[in-house]
Amino acid sequence: MFGPAEDGGYVLIGLARRPTAELFEDIAWGTATVMQETRARLARGDWRWRELALLWDVDRPEDLPRLRQLRAD
C-alpha cells in the first residue's frame, strides 16, 4: 500500500508480503517522479498494490508556511 504525496513522492509505504530493498534502490529521491518510478517498478515486478488518496507532506523548509497556515485554521 502506498500513500502518494502531492509533490510526486509518497507519505506512506506498507509492504505485507515481499519487502525488498531493490524496489527502492536508485530512485531519484526528492524529485516529482518518485511515485511514478515506484509504480513502474511495481508493474515490472508484477506486484499488486493499492494507493490511498493523495496527501500533502512536509519535506522542505518551503513547506512550512503551509503547515503553519493549516495549524492556524
Side-chain angles (χ1 to χ4, degrees):
M1 180 170 300
F2 285 82
E6 288 179 5
D7 63 5
Y10 26 80
V11 299
L12 172 83
I13 302 168
L15 299 174
R17 296 201 173 113
R18 298 187 322 188
T20 177
E22 292 82 27
L23 183 60
F24 305 106
E25 290 176 347
D26 299 319
I27 293 279
W29 298 109
T31 68
T33 63
V34 173
M35 188 68 227
Q36 179 183 342
E37 289 179 55
T38 305
R39 284 183 189 113
R41 288 179 184 209
L42 290 163
R44 281 193 309 269
D46 201 28
W47 287 54
R48 293 184 328 175
W49 76 97
R50 293 190 308 163
E51 294 184 24
L52 301 173
L54 191 66
L55 296 172
W56 172 74
D57 65 345
V58 177
D59 292 324
R60 296 187 163 93
E62 54 268 22
D63 297 326
L64 292 175
R66 184 174 177 182
L67 176 63
R68 287 187 192 105
Q69 183 60 45
L70 289 171
R71 293 183 71 193
D73 291 342

